[in-house]
Amino acid sequence: MLRLGRREFDTHEPVIMAIVNRTPDSFYDQGATFRDEPALARVEQAVAEGAAIIDIGGVKAGPGEEVTAEEEARRTVGFVAEVRRRFPDVVISVDTWRAEVGAAVCEAGADLLNDAWGGVDPGLAEVAARYGVGLVCTHAGGAEPRTRPHRVAYDDVMADILRVTVGLAERALALGVPRESILIDPGHDFGKNTRHSLEATRRLGEMVETGWPVLVSLSNKDFVGETLDKPVKERVVGTLATTAVSAWLGAQVYRVHEVAETRQVLDMVASIAGHRAPAVARRGLA
């Protein structure tokens, strides 16, 4: 059982986490949800299309203009409070690696801290424990926040992913983060080249076998673009194919831009796997 905020999710229940970037320079939407009203409209649409989690980020992952902790908090804290007021049952996640920002968004009503940079600030897990919220434990290959990988190498990329993510999860548990609210993430593209991310996908079942719920953040990433030689705006099909494979291998949470399309993919895979009944079953019965 995965428990986040007011929500509980069964083991085989796929969960969509919709991305809402409060940044003027995000790689995918180029700041479309930087202002409050477009961002709130995005939340409303995502919830209507089937997202259970809203992931709010105040700093883009890639290199760019410096964003201080104070500015990151300014972009996220008030917005978290407003989303909490308008959508009391939605799970609110905040994508941050900073403990001070984590504490501020938890005070505002966040349910989950999405630590995409692999515990670079050990205090973030302590914040999650203090507030009793969830934590995403990600493999980033030891990379510093907002840096790109350069000639990174692993003897065995999945072995390293397991060592880091399970280690972070066990530390979080020891600190007091609720076990049912801890997830692990292989960190596609983070501290990895395209071949590493493909192998991480291919071997995702090894993460599932640890017993920790697995989150994947695949949406329109560079490993999809390089694999198919497609620019950012033409990676949806490749993303959905990777989503289907990840679902078949047992991942549970999917951080995405395209909510409606992802919902259909996850529902189809769940039905093939026997975890979900068809929405309609009339064929051959008339």
Side-chain angles (χ1 to χ4, degrees), residues 7 14 37 54 104 138 141 169 189 192 199 203 211 220 232 236 256 284:
R7 301 288 299 274
E37 286 311 311
I54 301 298
T138 308
D189 275 0
K192 299 171 189 67
E199 182 172 353
R203 298 174 61 186
N220 302 294
V232 170
V236 176
V256 305

Side-chain angles (χ1 to χ4, degrees), residues 119 121-126 166-177 182:
D121 183 347
L124 191 63
E126 297 167 10
V166 171
L168 290 170
E170 290 175 345
R171 175 178 182 266
L173 181 63
L175 288 169
V177 180
I182 300 171

Side-chain angles (χ1 to χ4, degrees), residues 94-161:
V94 176
D95 181 350
T96 186
W97 73 87
R98 291 166 164 150
E100 58 193 291
V101 175
V105 296
C106 286
E107 289 284 349
D111 304 300
L112 177 65
L113 297 175
N114 182 9
D115 183 9
W117 289 102
V120 69
D121 183 347
L124 191 63
E126 297 167 10
V127 168
R130 185 161 74 246
Y131 286 92
V133 303
L135 182 69
V136 179
C137 301
T138 308
H139 180 272
E144 288 295 315
R146 308 193 67 192
T147 61
R148 298 196 189 281
H150 179 69
R151 300 191 184 282
V152 63
Y154 300 95
D155 291 334
D156 183 327
V157 66
M158 182 51 73
D160 204 71
I161 289 170

Side-chain angles (χ1 to χ4, degrees), residues 1-11 15 53 91 111-112 128 131-137 169-170 172-174 176-184 211-214 252-253:
M1 178 71 71
L2 175 63
R3 183 177 291 114
L4 300 170
R6 299 183 182 183
R7 301 288 299 274
E8 292 184 350
F9 306 96
D10 291 334
T11 302
V15 182
I53 307 172
V91 178
D111 304 300
L112 177 65
Y131 286 92
V133 303
L135 182 69
V136 179
C137 301
E170 290 175 345
L173 181 63
V177 180
R179 193 193 195 288
E180 63 273 17
S181 303
I182 300 171
L183 304 99
I184 59 174
W212 297 101
V214 175
Q252 185 167 14
V253 181

Side-chain angles (χ1 to χ4, degrees), residues 1-263:
M1 178 71 71
L2 175 63
R3 183 177 291 114
L4 300 170
R6 299 183 182 183
R7 301 288 299 274
E8 292 184 350
F9 306 96
D10 291 334
T11 302
H12 295 297
E13 182 178 356
V15 182
I16 294 178
M17 170 189 274
I19 299 166
V20 179
N21 288 316
R22 304 308 317 282
T23 61
D25 53 357
S26 55
F27 90 100
Y28 185 67
D29 61 29
Q30 298 298 306
T33 53
F34 184 47
R35 293 185 299 109
D36 286 351
E37 286 311 311
L40 288 167
R42 161 69 175 162
V43 174
E44 184 173 10
Q45 178 186 12
V47 171
E49 291 178 345
I53 307 172
I54 301 298
D55 191 49
I56 299 163
V59 186
K60 79 169 186 175
E65 183 178 339
E66 180 185 1
V67 180
T68 64
E70 292 75 16
E71 174 61 16
E72 182 184 359
R74 189 191 69 78
R75 295 176 180 184
T76 56
V77 174
F79 187 72
V80 167
E82 184 62 16
V83 173
R84 179 82 295 148
R85 185 183 73 81
R86 296 195 189 193
F87 304 91
D89 294 326
V90 77
V91 178
I92 299 176
S93 169
V94 176
D95 181 350
T96 186
W97 73 87
R98 291 166 164 150
E100 58 193 291
V101 175
V105 296
C106 286
E107 289 284 349
D111 304 300
L112 177 65
L113 297 175
N114 182 9
D115 183 9
W117 289 102
V120 69
D121 183 347
L124 191 63
E126 297 167 10
V127 168
R130 185 161 74 246
Y131 286 92
V133 303
L135 182 69
V136 179
C137 301
T138 308
H139 180 272
E144 288 295 315
R146 308 193 67 192
T147 61
R148 298 196 189 281
H150 179 69
R151 300 191 184 282
V152 63
Y154 300 95
D155 291 334
D156 183 327
V157 66
M158 182 51 73
D160 204 71
I161 289 170
L162 292 171
R163 177 184 63 80
V164 171
T165 59
V166 171
L168 290 170
E170 290 175 345
R171 175 178 182 266
L173 181 63
L175 288 169
V177 180
R179 193 193 195 288
E180 63 273 17
S181 303
I182 300 171
L183 304 99
I184 59 174
D185 177 354
H188 289 82
D189 275 0
F190 281 61
K192 299 171 189 67
N193 61 33
T194 290
R195 289 183 174 84
H196 293 142
S197 292
L198 291 171
E199 182 172 353
T201 306
R202 187 162 59 247
R203 298 174 61 186
L204 203 63
E206 295 175 44
M207 295 190 74
V208 174
E209 288 171 2
T210 67
W212 297 101
V214 175
L215 179 151
V216 287
S217 182
L218 311 167
S219 196
N220 302 294
K221 283 195 167 178
D222 284 348
F223 83 96
V224 175
E226 288 193 356
T227 299
L228 301 177
D229 193 17
K230 295 292 183 182
V232 170
K233 295 297 184 180
E234 297 178 24
R235 298 176 183 176
V236 176
V237 173
T239 296
L240 294 176
T242 313
T243 298
V245 170
S246 299
W248 187 256
L249 293 174
Q252 185 167 14
V253 181
Y254 301 81
R255 183 178 181 272
V256 305
H257 298 98
E258 288 81 20
V259 175
E261 294 87 342
T262 303
R263 181 78 271 162

